[in-house]
Amino acid sequence: MSGERLIYMPLGGAGEIGMNAYVYGYGAPDRERLIVVDLGVTFGDMDGTPGIDLILPDLAWLEARRDRIEGILITHAHEDHVGALGLLWDRLRAPIYARKFTSAIARLKLDERGGVPESAMTVVEPWPELLTLGPFKVGFVPISHSIPESAGLVIDSPQGRIVHSGDFKIDQSPVVGEPFDPVMWQEIGRSGVRALVCDSTNVFSPHPGRSEATLVENIEALLREAKGMVVATTFASNVARLQTLANAAEAAGRSICLLGRAMRRMVDTAIETGLLSQFPNVVSPDDAAQIPRENLLLLVTGSQGERRAAAAQLAQQGYMGLALKEGDTFLFSARTIPGNERPVARIMNQLSQKGVDVLDDAGGRYHVSGHANRPDLEAFHDLIKPQFLIPMHGEHRHLREHLKLGEAKGLKGIIATNGMMIDLSGNAPKVAEYVEAGRTYLDGSVLIGGLDGVIRDRMRMAQNGHVTVTVIVDEDDEPLGDPWCEIMGLPAKGRSNAELVGILEAELSQFIGRAERRTIKDDEKLEKEMIRIVRQTSQAEIGKKPEVTVVVSRLA
Amino acid sequence: MSGERLIYMPLGGAGEIGMNAYVYGYGAPDRERLIVVDLGVTFGDMDGTPGIDLILPDLAWLEARRDRIEGILITHAHEDHVGALGLLWDRLRAPIYARKFTSAIARLKLDERGGVPESAMTVVEPWPELLTLGPFKVGFVPISHSIPESAGLVIDSPQGRIVHSGDFKIDQSPVVGEPFDPVMWQEIGRSGVRALVCDSTNVFSPHPGRSEATLVENIEALLREAKGMVVATTFASNVARLQTLANAAEAAGRSICLLGRAMRRMVDTAIETGLLSQFPNVVSPDDAAQIPRENLLLLVTGSQGERRAAAAQLAQQGYMGLALKEGDTFLFSARTIPGNERPVARIMNQLSQKGVDVLDDAGGRYHVSGHANRPDLEAFHDLIKPQFLIPMHGEHRHLREHLKLGEAKGLKGIIATNGMMIDLSGNAPKVAEYVEAGRTYLDGSVLIGGLDGVIRDRMRMAQNGHVTVTVIVDEDDEPLGDPWCEIMGLPAKGRSNAELVGILEAELSQFIGRAERRTIKDDEKLEKEMIRIVRQTSQAEIGKKPEVTVVVSRLA
């Protein structure tokens, strides 16, 4: 056995928040049997990935070793943990394991994006049930988070136990789902844990996290006291929050209407899987339009300012026959994810223009986080008492801070970012290998590599505009007529107040008129020169150098 | 006199935070004499204005009335109040008035961007000095903010006094510059104020603002206790913060090195204008490189994550021979302006990778805001006791909240956003007119209108990529050879795993081969059909519809 090793390697989610994908392995080097934990996505943005629909981990390394994969384990049904499964499963073709609600939600999402055969998916029972996967025995341990049935994983190997926390918070009254159970986690730690691989999201939040249940009173008061219609938006997957909002609406005599497909789907699934046994009846948008507005609560999608979601539409023209007006109240019962500040503010300002009162998570009255804060992380370390601490689910600064937090209490650890294979077999975790771990983009219906250059070209066109240049060359390598320009995304006129296109064409004509035959004969040379002229002339005229496409048509 | 009126109109800064530009007028309708308060910029971003260097207010309305402008008053030297002066002054050609330091900084900025003749600029003495501008008498009243010599304006007209707060906070120990003087402001209010036009930035901040002086102790402790080099970044214009940091460095035996042009320039100007009489000597980057790192403080530009600034470069390869390493400390002594979260986080993560400890404004130990918080706004209202409250310097939600704050204390008011001309002559403020108030973009060296379509095209190319199609048609309206495609910002291969360009060309050839002569003769029709084919084929092949430029070359 001395030649075998226990490895951990993030392929996504370590050094960033999003697109989680973690690999564990056990066996002789390069022959380890592998398990994959989570396959999530990140969302693109105009800033860095214009036109990109989703960002996924690059699974080339795993794909080349897919015969060694024992299974794919999904800890919970958030997009950043399950969203890539439909698009990438076909590359791995390994069986998928998840708890009941997670499986049900995953299945709905999978069907939209690629899909996975029914037979590939196995619903697992929670800890203390164990699943045998090659050299591993794995238990799905209930842990509280902002979605029901979240699981931490106990991964037992011949070289000891790993606890993979999954996303979690310490919440002993989570409203829906299983409370955090310190006794159970202590028990899991008691038999010795080699490594705790642990959520780092909120390591910079200094105060102990608050329970979901602390919101009940505030939300009840809000729904009781609001004069007009109340609209609340949160992540549809935050089923506990939906329950709290629905309970408060019932208590205030308000009917509930769900807007947005994800919202209806999530509630249906939670009811079907037995998680929401007490959810009140809901009314359709048509019926809601007939109910006095002070007797209504709308639960809507779009808490992050997504342009097409119900929240954004209600802030503008309305949605499914429902519209907001002065005296109504709009509650953001969610945190704005960093990067979404502007679209969320846009909605808030639109609502303000309608005279709608907006409440958000400022002050913490209407939202609590789903992740463990700094003191909660320390408490969890103390329950598990691992030999090693490996921070995950964080940007580099989160991982580093989390490691420092552990080291202050005497825990050994390492910062492992995407592509770093960590050998956990020895007396301290150490880097065994660096693996290529990039990003894959879903662009329309195509998966492209993050470094393919497609995005670079788009960003350049967005910054600099585009010029098309065409020129026809006859059989004798003589230019036929003058070069022709078209611009896109550029000002019509520049410094000299003449048309930019005219100025460019004049410069190009002059060049072509003087060019030597051997330049005109040489496609590459001709193109290069014409690009240079366009960029140089544009720089002088409008102060920027556009992207240029040159088409030389040669009459045969 | 009954035919005359007193008007207020924001052309920028009301309904947004940025590009401040406010107009006051007095006289017969449409013959009012005008004064302009501030001419600022907003910064563009990839999200909404790719490639745009600066965003400025559209001054078309003012330009058409420039013979009626008595003067342009600058309250303080922040970019969002003075940054557009150099680019737009030529359209107004009115005299500019500002206090000494503001003039000095404005002058430096103007020279970069257009410039203004020396003679156009007058340095004014502060209140109780008064400047006569047509029907107005104007006083520049010292008020505390995050830049020295900030001024609120007292604007006296035949129909009463207006107080224009400018950007302000209530700080009675601002470290550099004049403390907030409640007695003076009360005195100004005592003779009766018709309208208070008031900063709304921090209306959602519930606690009283803290003084600049509260940071001294924390910053001193930080510089004393840090083990390695300390780098601090803040807005260069926050001269008081620079003084606090410099004092703490001196006390800790650290030499100070200024990095970034704006930083050096600001300190020089503040010394020259007598504001910084006690600033310690600084060392050059070359000398700094010879000093033990534990004896150094670098004061650097780039607190908002600007890519080319000193902070961003130090987080990567280093800057002017100085580089960071494990054990150093990096202090963001500034707030991250909403929208800049990602670039700032990028720098923090790069520093984390180097093992540098990062401190930011979380917890408020190392930064205080320059704007009045909610209770401070109430205190200011109480000092001025205006008849009307007109919130400015805020997004719509800030203006609305500020108005509600005033109404709760019995103040009449109105939400005036850009382009709303408000008549202040009657018993309540009312809208007199709606004026076109758009945005102007600085794109490279050209000013373009915000609605010119240039940005729309760039964003479409960024989202959808670009295809160039060329086809040659001979003298007999017969296609000469096949159509030719080039792509930019699009994946090389799509669904069918064949080259996208090849597929597009095949479809276009097929179309051209079958097209009727009258289609081929008609440029518009031919272009429209070819665009349709490219977009439709791309949608099927790659799931997106690109932007298309078609060039039809006709042999004459």
Side-chain angles (χ1 to χ4, degrees):
Chain A
M1 293 287 275
S2 69
E4 315 212 300
R5 64 181 185 179
L6 176 64
I7 58 168
Y8 158 74
M9 179 171 63
L11 287 174
E16 68 191 333
I17 294 182
M19 67 166 214
N20 294 279
Y22 306 94
V23 179
Y24 293 93
Y26 184 79
D30 296 324
R31 281 164 39 209
E32 297 91 353
R33 301 301 298 174
L34 307 172
I35 57 179
V36 180
V37 177
D38 293 335
L39 276 182
V41 295
T42 290
F43 297 93
D45 58 34
M46 189 64 191
D47 218 41
T49 51
I52 293 301
D53 299 281
L54 288 174
I55 302 172
L56 308 89
D58 175 359
L59 296 188
W61 187 90
L62 269 182
E63 196 176 349
R65 291 156 183 81
R66 76 179 186 199
D67 56 317
R68 285 161 46 192
I69 304 174
E70 298 284 349
I72 301 167
L73 319 181
I74 306 296
T75 59
H76 64 287
H78 278 150
E79 287 283 359
D80 59 331
H81 292 262
V82 69
L85 201 47
L87 288 158
L88 296 181
W89 181 82
D90 198 51
R91 302 191 174 192
L92 305 183
R93 297 177 166 274
I96 302 163
Y97 303 92
R99 297 181 67 196
K100 186 175 173 187
F101 172 77
T102 306
S103 298
I105 293 296
R107 164 69 50 207
L108 290 170
K109 291 182 176 167
L110 292 177
D111 290 346
E112 289 172 1
R113 293 183 188 147
V116 168
E118 197 75 42
S119 62
M121 209 143 178
T122 306
V123 171
V124 298
E125 292 303 313
W127 175 267
E129 289 289 310
L130 288 177
L131 190 67
T132 300
L133 296 170
F136 298 105
K137 286 198 192 309
V138 179
F140 283 68
V141 191
I143 198 161
S144 41
H145 184 41
S146 49
I147 187 169
E149 277 195 7
S150 227
L153 301 176
V154 168
I155 304 172
D156 285 334
S157 81
Q159 288 187 3
R161 172 168 287 186
I162 290 166
V163 171
H164 179 98
S165 74
D167 291 9
F168 80 104
K169 67 181 291 190
I170 294 185
D171 192 340
Q172 301 192 24
S173 49
V175 180
V176 170
E178 298 118 333
F180 183 85
D181 184 346
V183 175
M184 180 173 63
W185 284 107
Q186 196 163 32
E187 193 58 42
I188 286 167
R190 191 160 294 150
S191 39
V193 170
R194 180 162 275 264
L196 168 62
V197 180
C198 192
D199 183 359
S200 308
T201 317
N202 280 6
V203 68
F204 288 108
S205 301
H207 306 297
R210 291 174 305 129
S211 166
E212 185 68 25
T214 61
L215 302 179
V216 171
E217 205 175 312
N218 297 329
I219 288 178
E220 281 182 355
L222 166 62
L223 282 162
R224 197 169 53 235
E225 290 160 19
K227 301 278 176 267
M229 185 171 0
V230 179
V231 182
T233 183
T234 186
F235 285 102
S237 57
N238 196 334
V239 174
R241 191 67 48 80
L242 300 183
Q243 181 75 66
T244 298
L245 286 159
N247 289 348
E250 258 201 325
R254 289 175 185 265
S255 298
I256 296 152
C257 176
L258 306 176
L259 295 182
R261 198 165 61 114
M263 198 57 79
R264 296 191 308 277
R265 202 162 75 167
M266 192 60 71
V267 170
D268 288 348
T269 309
I271 291 172
E272 280 162 22
T273 53
L275 281 170
L276 278 186
S277 51
Q278 322 237 295
F279 203 79
N281 288 331
V282 300
V283 299
S284 71
D286 281 352
D287 289 345
Q290 307 305 318
I291 294 173
R293 53 203 311 114
E294 65 274 19
N295 295 339
L296 263 183
L297 168 68
L298 312 184
L299 287 177
V300 313
T301 53
S303 67
Q304 300 305 307
E306 300 92 328
R307 267 178 199 278
R308 289 176 208 150
Q313 296 202 43
L314 283 169
Q316 295 181 67
Q317 73 281 11
Y319 187 71
M320 311 228 8
L322 294 161
L324 297 182
K325 66 178 196 185
E326 179 140 15
D328 291 338
T329 301
F330 197 107
L331 171 63
F332 283 84
S333 186
R335 173 176 174 244
T336 302
I337 293 176
N340 296 338
E341 290 82 1
R342 280 174 202 241
V344 169
R346 187 183 302 125
I347 290 182
M348 288 182 174
N349 285 315
Q350 288 163 340
L351 292 168
S352 177
Q353 281 168 36
K354 287 185 192 292
V356 173
D357 290 318
V358 176
L359 299 166
D360 64 16
D361 70 333
R365 293 174 60 80
Y366 306 113
H367 178 65
V368 294
S369 171
H371 295 273
N373 289 356
R374 192 179 183 93
D376 309 318
L377 291 171
E378 290 186 287
F380 195 61
H381 302 165
D382 287 347
L383 288 173
I384 305 296
K385 295 193 195 309
Q387 192 179 350
F388 310 145
L389 172 68
I390 319 273
M392 67 162 173
H393 206 284
E395 299 170 11
H396 196 282
R397 60 196 170 120
H398 300 97
L399 305 183
R400 180 164 180 265
E401 186 73 12
H402 194 174
L403 185 67
K404 283 165 73 177
L405 188 69
E407 284 175 344
K409 293 277 190 78
L411 288 176
K412 273 188 220 170
I414 195 167
I415 298 177
T417 54
N418 297 343
M420 282 170 66
M421 184 192 290
I422 307 297
D423 185 343
L424 298 171
S425 313
N427 289 324
K430 62 173 200 285
V431 179
E433 203 177 314
Y434 290 91
V435 161
E436 199 81 39
R439 296 176 151 210
T440 301
Y441 295 152
L442 176 65
D443 182 39
S445 56
V446 181
L447 291 175
I448 60 178
L451 301 174
D452 281 5
V454 169
I455 293 307
R456 184 202 55 209
D457 284 351
R458 280 190 205 160
M459 291 185 64
R460 286 183 182 165
M461 287 192 289
Q463 299 275 355
N464 309 323
H466 182 264
V467 177
T468 302
V469 178
T470 55
V471 61
I472 304 176
V473 178
D474 73 10
E475 298 87 338
D476 306 320
D477 295 320
E478 291 288 343
L480 204 60
D482 288 321
W484 184 271
C485 285
E486 305 233 1
I487 60 175
M488 193 175 276
L490 287 170
K493 292 178 176 185
R495 199 171 288 229
S496 65
N497 212 26
E499 298 282 335
L500 175 62
V501 164
I503 291 171
L504 292 173
E505 288 177 347
E507 290 290 329
L508 290 166
S509 293
Q510 207 171 61
F511 158 73
I512 278 279
R514 285 194 204 145
E516 290 175 25
R517 167 89 42 113
R518 64 170 185 203
T519 301
I520 292 183
K521 277 177 91 158
D522 182 339
D523 269 5
E524 207 172 309
K525 212 170 193 171
L526 187 57
E527 182 174 332
K528 204 177 136 192
E529 278 302 300
M530 292 176 76
I531 289 177
R532 191 184 56 76
I533 289 165
V534 168
R535 291 170 64 89
Q536 198 172 293
T537 307
S538 299
Q539 177 64 36
E541 191 59 21
I542 59 168
K544 66 171 48 198
K545 295 180 174 171
E547 303 309 300
V548 187
T549 299
V550 175
V551 183
V552 179
S553 304
R554 294 186 187 274
L555 302 182
Chain B
M1 293 287 276
S2 68
E4 315 213 299
R5 64 182 185 180
L6 176 63
I7 58 170
Y8 159 74
M9 178 170 66
L11 287 174
E16 67 192 331
I17 294 182
M19 67 167 213
N20 294 278
Y22 306 94
V23 179
Y24 294 93
Y26 183 80
D30 297 324
R31 285 171 25 214
E32 296 90 354
R33 301 301 298 174
L34 306 173
I35 56 180
V36 179
V37 177
D38 294 335
L39 275 181
V41 295
T42 291
F43 296 93
D45 58 32
M46 188 65 191
D47 217 41
T49 51
I52 293 301
D53 300 280
L54 288 174
I55 301 172
L56 307 90
D58 175 358
L59 297 188
W61 187 89
L62 269 183
E63 197 176 348
R65 290 157 185 80
R66 77 179 183 197
D67 56 318
R68 286 163 44 193
I69 304 175
E70 298 284 349
I72 301 167
L73 319 181
I74 306 297
T75 59
H76 64 286
H78 277 149
E79 287 282 1
D80 59 332
H81 293 261
V82 70
L85 201 47
L87 288 158
L88 297 182
W89 182 82
D90 198 49
R91 301 192 176 191
L92 306 183
R93 298 176 165 272
I96 302 165
Y97 302 92
R99 297 182 67 196
K100 187 174 172 188
F101 173 77
T102 306
S103 298
I105 293 295
R107 164 70 47 209
L108 291 170
K109 290 183 177 166
L110 291 177
D111 290 345
E112 287 173 1
R113 291 181 189 147
V116 167
E118 197 74 42
S119 63
M121 210 146 177
T122 305
V123 171
V124 298
E125 291 304 312
W127 176 267
E129 289 290 308
L130 288 176
L131 191 66
T132 300
L133 295 171
F136 298 105
K137 286 199 191 308
V138 179
F140 283 70
V141 190
I143 198 162
S144 41
H145 183 43
S146 48
I147 187 169
E149 279 195 4
S150 227
L153 300 176
V154 168
I155 303 173
D156 285 333
S157 81
Q159 289 188 2
R161 171 168 287 185
I162 290 166
V163 171
H164 180 97
S165 74
D167 291 10
F168 81 104
K169 68 180 292 191
I170 293 184
D171 192 339
Q172 301 191 23
S173 48
V175 180
V176 171
E178 299 117 333
F180 182 85
D181 184 346
V183 174
M184 181 174 60
W185 284 107
Q186 196 164 30
E187 193 59 41
I188 286 167
R190 192 161 293 151
S191 38
V193 170
R194 180 162 275 265
L196 168 62
V197 180
C198 190
D199 184 358
S200 308
T201 316
N202 279 6
V203 67
F204 288 109
S205 301
H207 306 296
R210 290 174 306 129
S211 167
E212 186 67 26
T214 60
L215 301 177
V216 171
E217 204 175 314
N218 297 328
I219 288 178
E220 281 182 356
L222 166 62
L223 281 161
R224 196 170 51 237
E225 289 159 21
K227 302 277 176 265
M229 186 171 2
V230 179
V231 183
T233 183
T234 186
F235 285 101
S237 57
N238 197 334
V239 174
R241 190 69 49 78
L242 301 183
Q243 179 74 66
T244 299
L245 287 158
N247 290 348
E250 260 204 322
R254 289 175 184 265
S255 299
I256 297 153
C257 176
L258 305 176
L259 296 181
R261 197 164 61 113
M263 196 58 80
R264 296 192 309 276
R265 202 161 75 166
M266 192 59 72
V267 170
D268 287 347
T269 309
I271 291 172
E272 281 162 23
T273 52
L275 283 170
L276 278 187
S277 50
Q278 323 236 293
F279 203 78
N281 288 331
V282 300
V283 299
S284 70
D286 281 352
D287 289 345
Q290 307 305 319
I291 295 174
R293 52 204 313 112
E294 63 276 17
N295 295 339
L296 262 183
L297 168 69
L298 312 184
L299 288 177
V300 313
T301 53
S303 67
Q304 301 305 306
E306 300 92 329
R307 266 178 200 279
R308 290 177 207 149
Q313 297 201 44
L314 283 169
Q316 296 181 66
Q317 72 282 8
Y319 187 72
M320 312 238 345
L322 295 161
L324 297 183
K325 66 177 196 183
E326 180 141 15
D328 291 338
T329 301
F330 197 107
L331 171 63
F332 283 84
S333 186
R335 173 176 174 244
T336 302
I337 293 176
N340 296 338
E341 290 81 1
R342 280 174 203 240
V344 169
R346 186 184 305 125
I347 289 182
M348 289 181 174
N349 285 315
Q350 287 164 341
L351 291 169
S352 177
Q353 281 168 36
K354 288 186 192 289
V356 173
D357 291 318
V358 176
L359 299 166
D360 62 16
D361 70 331
R365 293 175 60 80
Y366 306 112
H367 178 65
V368 294
S369 172
H371 295 274
N373 289 356
R374 192 180 183 92
D376 309 318
L377 291 171
E378 290 186 287
F380 195 60
H381 302 164
D382 287 347
L383 288 174
I384 305 297
K385 296 196 193 309
Q387 193 180 350
F388 311 146
L389 171 68
I390 319 274
M392 67 162 173
H393 206 282
E395 298 170 11
H396 196 283
R397 60 196 170 119
H398 299 97
L399 305 183
R400 181 165 180 266
E401 186 72 13
H402 194 174
L403 185 67
K404 283 165 74 176
L405 188 68
E407 286 175 343
K409 292 277 191 77
L411 288 177
K412 275 188 219 170
I414 195 167
I415 299 176
T417 54
N418 296 344
M420 282 169 66
M421 184 193 292
I422 306 297
D423 185 342
L424 298 171
S425 313
N427 288 323
K430 62 174 199 285
V431 179
E433 205 178 314
Y434 290 91
V435 162
E436 199 81 40
R439 296 177 150 210
T440 300
Y441 296 150
L442 177 65
D443 183 40
S445 56
V446 181
L447 291 175
I448 59 177
L451 301 173
D452 282 4
V454 169
I455 294 307
R456 183 201 57 211
D457 284 350
R458 279 190 206 160
M459 291 186 64
R460 286 185 181 162
M461 287 192 289
Q463 298 276 354
N464 309 321
H466 181 263
V467 177
T468 301
V469 179
T470 55
V471 60
I472 304 177
V473 178
D474 72 11
E475 297 85 339
D476 306 319
D477 293 322
E478 290 288 343
L480 203 63
D482 288 320
W484 184 272
C485 286
E486 305 234 1
I487 60 176
M488 192 175 277
L490 288 170
K493 291 178 176 187
R495 198 169 290 228
S496 65
N497 213 27
E499 297 284 335
L500 175 62
V501 163
I503 291 171
L504 292 174
E505 288 177 348
E507 290 289 330
L508 289 166
S509 291
Q510 206 170 63
F511 157 74
I512 278 280
R514 284 193 203 146
E516 292 176 25
R517 167 88 45 113
R518 65 168 182 203
T519 301
I520 293 183
K521 278 177 88 158
D522 181 340
D523 269 4
E524 205 173 311
K525 212 169 193 173
L526 186 59
E527 181 173 332
K528 201 176 139 192
E529 278 303 300
M530 293 177 75
I531 290 176
R532 190 184 58 74
I533 289 164
V534 168
R535 292 170 64 89
Q536 197 172 294
T537 307
S538 298
Q539 176 64 35
E541 192 59 22
I542 60 168
K544 67 170 50 196
K545 294 181 174 170
E547 302 309 300
V548 188
T549 299
V550 175
V551 183
V552 180
S553 303
R554 295 185 187 273
L555 302 183

